[in-house]
Amino acid sequence: MPVMVVLSLGIVATIRIDSLTQDFKASMEEVEVTLMSLAIATAASVDKQASKPSTTDFNALLNNVLPHGALRNGRRFYLLDQRGEILGRAALEPPTVQADNIATLLGDNQQLLVMGGEAGVLRIKSPDGEDVMATVRHLNNPLMSLAIIQPHRAALRNWYAKRTQDLLIFVAMLLLSLVLVYSFFAQSARAHEADAIYANAYRRQETALVHGRSGLWDWDLSQGSMIWSNSMSELLGYPVRGKNRDLLFSLDDLNGLIHPDDVDLHRLQETLLVTRKPQFDQQLRVRHANGNWIWLRLRGEVLNHQNGNRQLVGIATDVTEQHLLAEQTRMADIRLRDAIETTSEAFVLWDNQNRLVMCNTKYQQLHKLKPEDVRSGTSYDEIAAKSNPDIVSTITLPTPHDGDTFQTAARTYEAALAHSRWLQISERRTKDGGFVSVGTDITELKLNEQKLVENERRQTALIRDLSNSRQKLEIQAQQLVELAENYAYEKENAEAASSAKSEFLANISHELRTPLNAIIGFSEIMRTGVFGNLGSEKYLEYCDDIHESGNFLLAVINDILQMSKIEAGRLQLNFETVEINEIVRESMRVMGAEVMAKDLQLLVTATGPISFEADRRAMKQIMLNLLTNAVKFTPDGGTIEVKPKIGEYGLYLSIRDTGIGIPEDAINKLGTPFEQVQNQFTKDHKGSGLGLAITQSLVGMHGGHMQITSKEGVGTTVTVCLPLVQDLHDK
């Protein structure tokens, strides 16, 4: 607008300047014509009057011959002689400069003075600085001339007046334009300020809506379109179009964002147009830009326009958290009710108006109430009138105070019920003024209290008895000390006797082996007849008995000697890597003759080579002792099975036979030196009773153990468990 104003003023000024210029030229031409006309007319009149001989007063002459109005506008007339001297003059106002010669008024302007009328009208500057229009006309009398001088401003008085008027009009227009420009800038400033205020208010509004998880929407019900604010776009995660720019949606676009189970916008639009309800409140789910559903509450008001259009304007608030909180509250209420229902105590909760909030089945059973009697909101008086608890003793229930609260803030008491049952009831005030009561079955506690009282009585008696027995215990303690000393003494004597026994047995065994070797050798020579026949068959039979008895006695002496070494701790084992199957084969070869003599079946069940660390001689003796017992106590035609295998704890060596078996009460006695199981079968078998004892001792020295299982008439299984690797630091 300022440019248009300036441009308009420039055009007006240009037009006015051109108009003034044209008027100036026209006025100048008019002044020149007027001066020329006056000069010609006056010169002619002066020529007529000057021809009379009585004409000497040239001032009067001029005044008489001048046309009417010739002296207006400052025009001055002068009669000059040939030297330019002023002979007469005529003017309404005296000149500012009194001169006697025209040169004083016109200066050295020889053109006018010489050429006269041919020079026309000239604009010149007088010696006193005045701008004038002048013309000179020579008269018929060559000695005289007529000069007319008119001030330039006076000659163009009308033009100057018009110029001043135009200037005033232009200045007025300029001032008016300035006022308009000022008004425009002021209005523009106010508009910018208003825009800034609006933008600031819009920004604050959008900021408040965004932080308040809300947005504005404008639904044109007649056109079926909806406008979202930027805050609404940010609420749903959609890009914002720009500052103060809202989004325009069609109902089809919005239906694609709304959950199909909630509402259809087209049907809602029809409903709003038909019902014409002024208020609108709806909750629905809208798809967020990230794909999730969020709950929005739309609230607005229907606006009716004069043209018949209807517009629904409102605000949308994110209520997803409220829905989640409501769902969590509902689930918490369900879990609370389940927890209260599953508890073993009787539970009831009253609000601050003495109305029932909730109770569990235990409470109903205690007060013998039906489900319809304990509906939420039922007053305390109604439930108290219907309840019939199995309470033997009198129980003071909480009573209302001023119709609002209970008298007692908190209390705990015990109630005796029928069938010797007890209930502890605790009542407490809630923060909102309600009341909660919990009844716990304390029958067991009461019974325990009675037992504690009885136990305390018994304990008092027991303490009294213990006090009486204390002296006896002190006497017995003294006796135990004496017995311990005697035991230590007797133990030393027993150990000395055992050591003496072992040494004696070792010595006697050594002393007996020398003559036994001679007896066995001589009997062998006599049996074989090395030095000739003995003669009678009875002698040969006697030699066999002597030889057999000698070998038996030697075996017994060897067992006694070895057992003595073991008990004395003088038997040393040499550990090396041994293959068990090799030990089994060697032992079977040694026992082969006896096995064949009894027609026994000897089986070996082996999964493969098994190597372990052991003393070879001791392992062979263990194997021979076990096989000897199995062969000895297995009837003719029986079966003996040897089964070595690797187990969880090492090598397991099992010898199972189908022999006579061992009584169950005698199994624990086996392994004791000189212990034998006597039955009808074992009476015919000789033995020292040291075989299993030596075997068990050797197994123990290897860090293993031996287990015997047997059943009479079925057979016996002896299992030896040995470690695969020996810990030599412990040997």
Side-chain angles (χ1 to χ4, degrees), residues 162-236:
K162 186 178 181 181
R163 187 192 67 174
T164 301
Q165 181 182 1
D166 290 345
L167 184 60
L168 291 176
I169 293 174
F170 181 77
V171 170
M173 291 178 62
L174 180 61
L175 293 176
L176 180 60
S177 300
L178 291 177
V179 171
L180 292 176
V181 171
Y182 173 78
S183 300
F184 170 77
F185 278 110
Q187 184 67 23
S188 178
R190 285 193 295 271
H192 283 294
E193 183 179 358
D195 291 342
I197 293 173
Y198 170 76
N200 190 22
Y202 184 85
R203 184 170 60 256
R204 289 198 301 269
Q205 170 187 291
E206 290 296 302
T207 302
L209 290 173
V210 169
H211 288 286
R213 301 290 297 164
S214 302
L216 297 179
W217 52 274
D218 187 346
W219 186 1
D220 190 342
L221 296 176
S222 301
Q223 300 296 328
S225 60
M226 183 180 291
I227 297 176
W228 280 359
S229 65
N230 288 339
S231 56
M232 190 78 174
S233 300
E234 292 190 10
L235 177 63
L236 297 176

Side-chain angles (χ1 to χ4, degrees), residues 35-47 58 62 65-67 76-81 88-90 102 106 112-113 116-117 134-141 143-149:
L35 290 179
M36 287 299 294
S37 299
L38 289 175
I40 294 173
T42 304
S45 298
V46 171
D47 284 335
F58 293 103
L62 280 175
V65 299
L66 287 178
R76 300 190 297 272
F77 292 82
Y78 295 95
L79 283 177
L80 308 175
D81 58 11
R89 60 174 59 89
I102 195 63
L106 299 179
L112 284 173
L113 297 177
T135 181
V136 176
R137 185 79 178 178
H138 295 301
L139 300 177
N140 293 329
N141 184 359
L143 299 179
M144 296 180 65
S145 298
L146 176 64
I148 302 174
I149 299 175

Side-chain angles (χ1 to χ4, degrees), residues 340-588:
I340 293 174
E341 186 63 32
T342 56
T343 185
S344 60
E345 289 80 8
F347 179 90
V348 62
L349 177 63
W350 309 90
D351 62 10
N352 56 4
Q353 300 294 328
N354 296 342
R355 294 173 301 188
L356 178 66
V357 177
M358 66 174 64
C359 68
N360 61 359
T361 306
K362 294 289 183 181
Y363 180 82
Q364 298 180 35
Q365 295 174 355
L366 175 63
H367 292 271
K368 297 181 180 180
L369 295 170
K370 298 178 181 179
E372 57 269 17
D373 296 335
V374 290
R375 291 191 178 94
S376 180
T378 306
S379 66
Y380 171 80
D381 294 334
E382 294 179 8
I383 294 179
K386 296 178 181 179
S387 65
N388 185 21
D390 294 331
I391 298 177
V392 176
S393 61
T394 303
I395 298 178
T396 304
L397 295 176
T399 57
H401 175 69
D402 294 336
D404 296 326
T405 59
F406 292 102
Q407 274 185 330
T408 307
R411 64 171 179 167
T412 300
Y413 58 92
E414 297 176 353
L417 306 180
H419 308 293
S420 300
R421 293 177 56 236
W422 286 85
L423 195 68
Q424 185 184 62
I425 300 176
S426 299
E427 297 176 345
R428 294 291 185 273
R429 177 77 62 190
T430 59
K431 291 183 178 180
D432 61 351
F435 216 78
V436 62
S437 177
V438 179
T440 306
D441 190 351
I442 58 171
T443 304
E444 292 294 332
L445 292 177
K446 284 294 183 179
L447 294 177
N448 289 335
E449 286 182 0
Q450 295 176 1
K451 291 180 181 179
L452 287 175
V453 172
E454 181 66 22
N455 290 336
E456 185 178 358
R457 185 183 61 79
R458 293 179 181 177
Q459 186 178 11
T460 303
L462 180 60
I463 291 174
R464 184 170 58 252
D465 294 339
L466 290 176
S467 178
N468 296 330
S469 302
R470 182 175 181 180
Q471 296 177 353
K472 297 180 181 180
L473 291 176
E474 291 177 353
I475 296 172
Q476 292 176 359
Q478 183 64 30
Q479 293 175 352
L480 288 175
V481 171
E482 295 176 357
L483 290 175
E485 293 177 353
N486 294 334
Y487 170 77
Y489 176 75
E490 294 297 333
K491 182 180 179 182
E492 291 178 359
N493 293 336
E495 290 177 351
S498 177
S499 178
K501 179 198 72 171
S502 298
E503 292 180 0
F504 170 75
L505 290 176
N507 292 331
I508 194 67
S509 298
H510 179 72
E511 294 297 332
L512 290 174
R513 288 175 70 181
T514 301
L516 277 176
N517 287 331
I519 292 171
I520 293 171
F522 289 143
S523 65
E524 182 69 23
I525 292 173
M526 293 172 69
R527 288 175 60 194
T528 57
V530 175
F531 298 106
N533 191 2
L534 295 178
S536 178
E537 292 293 331
K538 286 289 184 180
Y539 292 147
L540 183 59
E541 183 179 349
Y542 294 154
C543 287
D544 290 337
D545 292 339
I546 293 170
H547 186 269
E548 182 179 353
S549 298
N551 284 328
F552 174 74
L553 184 58
L554 181 60
V556 171
I557 292 173
N558 287 335
D559 290 343
I560 293 173
L561 183 61
Q562 187 173 15
M563 194 67 202
S564 299
K565 288 183 179 180
I566 293 174
E567 289 183 349
R570 295 197 300 268
L571 182 62
Q572 298 294 328
L573 299 180
N574 297 319
F575 292 101
E576 59 179 311
T577 302
V578 178
E579 213 283 315
I580 187 61
N581 293 321
E582 183 180 346
I583 299 295
V584 172
R585 286 193 296 271
E586 292 178 359
S587 301
M588 291 176 62

